[in-house]
Every structure is written in C-alpha cells, then in structure tokens.
Amino acid sequence: RKEVEQDPGPFNVPEGATVAFNCTYSNSASQSFFWYRQDCRKEPKLLMSVYSSGNEDGRFTAQLNRASQYISLLIRDSKLSDSATYLCAVNPPGGSYIPTFGRGTSLIVHP
Amino acid sequence: ETGVTQSPTHLIKTRGQQVTLRCSSQSGHNTVSWYQQALGQGPQFIFQYYREEENGRGNFPPRFSGLQFPNYSSELNVNALELDDSALYLCASSLAMGATGELFFGEGSRLTVL
C-alpha cells in the first residue's frame, strides 16, 4: 500500500457544483496534513492545512478522519478558476516535517 | 509569491551529463527540501537540508547529491543523467523548529534528458 493515495481523476464538474476528494494515508501516527493546489506546469501552493478535526476557508473545507486514516477536501460552488490538481501531503510522526505527497487529483470545472 | 527562487527554469541535457540546480530559500527559512515530480505524479522527496546538514533522504541513488550554504540557499546535483531523470525539480523552503510543516515551493526547474 502506498503511503499516501489519491484518486487521480479527472473530476469533471459544472460550475456551481460541489465536489469532494479523499486522500488516504498508511501511517496511523502521521502528525499533520495539508492540501496543496498545483496549476498546470506550475509549482504546488499551499491551499489548506488540516489539523485535528478539520479546517474551513470560504468555499473550501478540509476534514481529517483519523479512525479511517483519510483526509478530504470539499469545494462548494465550484468556479472555473478552481480547475487544477489538488495534492494531499502527510507529515510523518517524529516532527521531521518531510511530507509525503499523493499523486494528486485533477479537477476540471466546465461552464 | 513564496520568495523561493530556482534556476535555471528549463534545461536540456543528454544522457550521462551532469546538472546543477540552484535554489534560494525564502528569507528567514533555514530548511530546504528538494522534490522530483515526474509528469502525472506527485512530488517525490529527494532530500532535505537543515542548517547545512542533510536532514533526511528519500529513495534516490547517490548520484543525486546536494548541499546547503550558510545563507541557506541550496544546490541539487545529478550525475550520470538518465532518461528517467526528466522531471520538474522543486525546491521548497520551510522553517524548522516550531513550524507547522508547511512548504513554500519555488517555480521549479524543468529538466529534459535526451
């Protein structure tokens, strides 16, 4: 089993739709979790951190489920500009701050 | 922008050659991590430097080497290039000791090996 797994998609959704991605991780002792956004041929940029019970920022909500070892990202009222690849990243235990990334989930929002 | 700069942005090499990629970290950040991202894949951890010392290494052969300078900038060197080394090489800076683990990426160096 890979350390961090994501469905690569693509997820094709119309504007205004709500879409959710999941990311599973194998190490139950993982410390912290992140969602990064990566536009085509660009660098990843931090979208949200996910701590304890989750995080919300406008249309974006991230949740952590430690029992089932996954994090999720919910995007409400999708915009064309949300089209990108969403990478999840998981920090291992021990405070090394060397996150492992999933392969990313591609989102395409169409008119 | 993150304040992390990488050079060169694009380069083409042939098999067997050597390449050096450079990274200037964000002001105040003392930790630099290097990742390799192949097309359609997530970033794969190569190694991390903290205060000029290697602080962790991923599953990459010894021909991938690096260093960090006193000003916290960093270099990634790859010897004996192979076709599979073609990828986007990302440098990320962060602040260790009390940080949250967030990484700030540069725009990357896109390497093509022919």
Side-chain angles (χ1 to χ4, degrees):
Chain A
R1 183 182 175 186
K2 287 187 178 180
E3 290 184 62
V4 179
E5 291 198 72
Q6 293 183 257
D7 179 349
F11 285 62
N12 244 297
V13 302
E15 275 186 289
T18 295
V19 62
F21 314 131
N22 282 342
C23 168
T24 59
Y25 59 94
S26 60
N27 189 333
S28 61
S30 296
Q31 294 287 325
S32 51
F33 310 86
F34 306 88
W35 284 103
Y36 285 79
R37 171 191 169 128
Q38 186 172 27
D39 292 306
C40 186
R41 302 183 73 82
K42 296 284 192 178
E43 76 276 20
K45 294 183 179 179
L46 182 69
L47 177 66
M48 300 181 73
S49 303
V50 189
Y51 299 113
S52 60
S53 59
N55 194 15
E56 183 172 328
D57 183 5
R59 300 183 292 109
F60 298 83
T61 301
Q63 295 280 344
L64 167 63
N65 186 317
R66 283 197 180 273
S68 299
Q69 294 180 212
Y70 73 87
I71 62 173
S72 62
L73 178 67
L74 180 78
I75 305 175
R76 291 179 296 276
D77 188 23
S78 298
K79 312 291 184 191
L80 295 176
S81 58
D82 293 334
S83 298
T85 295
Y86 292 84
L87 299 160
C88 74
V90 177
N91 265 333
S96 67
Y97 299 130
I98 300 176
T100 298
F101 284 83
R103 65 176 295 182
T105 297
S106 175
L107 171 66
I108 301 171
V109 181
H110 58 82
Chain B
E1 299 303 324
T2 64
V4 180
T5 59
Q6 292 187 242
S7 63
T9 55
H10 296 81
L11 68 166
I12 299 173
K13 293 284 188 177
T14 56
R15 271 190 311 174
Q17 285 189 310
Q18 178 265 345
V19 67
T20 297
L21 308 179
R22 296 178 176 84
C23 171
S24 294
S25 59
Q26 184 178 99
S27 177
H29 283 182
N30 53 20
T31 302
V32 172
S33 304
W34 286 91
Y35 285 81
Q36 179 197 67
Q37 187 175 25
L39 200 60
Q41 301 298 315
Q44 298 295 309
F45 174 68
I46 303 175
F47 40 59
Q48 183 184 84
Y49 281 86
Y50 170 64
R51 292 187 174 179
E52 302 179 62
E53 296 288 328
E54 187 176 286
N55 189 44
R57 187 179 181 92
N59 189 26
F60 279 81
R63 59 190 185 83
F64 285 77
S65 63
L67 67 161
Q68 186 179 33
F69 299 100
N71 65 356
Y72 302 134
S73 66
S74 178
E75 283 184 357
L76 163 66
N77 298 288
V78 187
N79 293 322
L81 284 167
E82 300 177 0
L83 296 180
D84 285 348
D85 296 333
S86 295
L88 179 67
Y89 288 84
L90 294 161
C91 166
S93 76
S94 56
L95 182 61
M97 305 303 290
T100 57
E102 299 163 13
L103 299 181
F104 299 84
F105 285 92
E107 294 187 357
S109 294
R110 191 167 298 278
L111 171 65
T112 301
V113 182
L114 302 177

